[in-house]
Amino acid sequence: NLEMLKQPVTLKLDLYLLHLESPAMHLWVLVLFCFFLGAFTASLYGIYEVLVQRQTIRQLKHNLEILAQELKSAGISAETPAAAAEPLPPPPPPPPSEAPLPRLGLRFGAGFPEGITASLVARPLPVLRLQAGPAWNYLAFGLQGGVTVTPLRWAVSPVFELSYGHFFGADINKVAKNPPAELKPLFSNVGYDYFNGQIGVEFGSPRGFTFSTGLGLAYLWSTLHGTATVVKNQGTPDEATVTVHNPSVRAVVPSLRLAVLYYF
């Protein structure tokens, strides 16, 4: 039920020399992430099966060509010398082969948490793309890169993307609305890193222009450099002073991306 999906959960991994613990998140976030992970794993298995089938088909074609040459040689040797001396008709022209896909492209995108991005795209395999480039989130510049899998080459195709990005520190006091004076030192140099996993749809030709959109989940983390001191109940017997130094922030948030890609 809905109340159960809103329960906070924490993932822990205890090894002999390492202890990992995720921030608290709602159960529905974990369920959605597991669904995305399962879909991505299934797509990778499907891609592997397609590659194996293509390799098998190539091997069968090669074996058939060898068999045809052997049969042709056997037929010519069985003919009479006069017939063997007659010129053979020229072989038919080979069928036109499909031109290879472009290997390089440029992609421009916008979304959260990556901001506005410009990426150089390389396609080492028809189903695999690598991209990297600068990013800007209105306050600071950063760097981002990722891997995209396109298992199908249709006019409308599913895409699976994993990316990482880093934004350099920026002063967010300029855009924060009346932040408490005690917290301003923490907001003077804020940057963040993220891992992002998305499932999306791509429209267009794998040889020219494409438009894509994606949804998923992103894991963000940041360290707010500085020290903040807050005094509670000042001037009373219950007065307390709280000091925070270089606090860390972690969160799992929904992610969105819109992008255009041009191959050249």
Side-chain angles (χ1 to χ4, degrees):
N1 55 45
L2 185 59
E3 293 299 326
M4 180 63 68
L5 292 176
K6 290 183 178 180
Q7 293 293 325
V9 295
T10 302
L11 301 180
K12 296 182 179 180
L13 178 62
D14 290 317
L15 302 177
Y16 184 71
L17 298 175
L18 182 64
H19 173 74
L20 299 175
E21 183 176 346
S22 71
M25 68 185 78
H26 291 301
L27 180 60
W28 68 268
V29 174
L30 182 61
V31 172
L32 190 61
F33 176 77
C34 292
F35 170 77
F36 287 154
L37 184 61
F40 179 73
T41 304
S43 66
L44 289 180
Y45 179 77
I47 293 170
Y48 171 76
E49 289 293 331
V50 170
L51 294 177
V52 171
Q53 291 177 4
R54 288 185 176 181
Q55 183 64 28
T56 303
I57 292 174
R58 291 194 191 99
Q59 187 64 37
L60 288 175
K61 287 183 178 180
H62 180 67
N63 294 340
L64 289 175
E65 290 174 357
I66 295 176
L67 179 61
Q69 292 176 359
E70 294 292 337
L71 291 175
K72 185 177 180 180
S73 300
I76 293 176
S77 61
E79 294 177 353
T80 61
E86 296 179 0
L88 297 175
S97 59
E98 185 179 2
L101 294 173
R103 292 298 183 93
L104 297 176
L106 287 175
R107 190 176 85 162
F108 300 94
F112 178 80
E114 63 262 40
I116 299 174
T117 62
S119 304
L120 177 65
V121 179
R123 181 162 49 186
L125 298 173
V127 298
L128 181 66
R129 295 198 304 250
L130 308 175
Q131 62 267 352
W136 182 63
N137 65 357
Y138 181 75
L139 293 174
F141 286 95
L143 300 173
Q144 51 80 33
V147 179
T148 302
V149 177
T150 56
L152 303 174
R153 286 185 290 167
W154 296 344
V156 180
S157 305
V159 292
F160 307 92
E161 182 170 325
L162 292 175
S163 61
Y164 165 78
H166 169 76
F167 280 99
F168 302 104
D171 187 0
I172 66 174
N173 289 305
K174 301 176 181 179
V175 296
K177 293 183 178 181
N178 301 321
E182 299 85 353
L183 299 181
K184 285 186 178 181
L186 298 179
F187 295 161
S188 61
N189 186 21
V190 178
Y192 63 88
D193 298 78
Y194 66 85
F195 280 112
N196 191 10
Q198 291 185 340
I199 296 177
V201 180
E202 188 171 80
F203 307 88
S205 169
R207 300 180 181 276
F209 179 84
T210 66
F211 168 79
S212 63
T213 179
L215 293 172
L217 292 174
Y219 176 68
L220 288 80
W221 69 95
S222 174
T223 299
L224 307 181
H225 299 283
T227 302
T229 301
V230 179
V231 180
K232 296 285 188 178
N233 303 321
Q234 188 172 6
T236 67
D238 297 330
E239 179 178 333
T241 301
V242 179
T243 301
V244 179
H245 180 68
N246 292 344
S248 297
V249 178
R250 291 175 172 80
V252 176
V253 297
S255 64
L256 170 67
R257 184 197 72 251
L258 299 174
V260 292
L261 171 59
Y262 178 72
Y263 294 103
F264 54 86

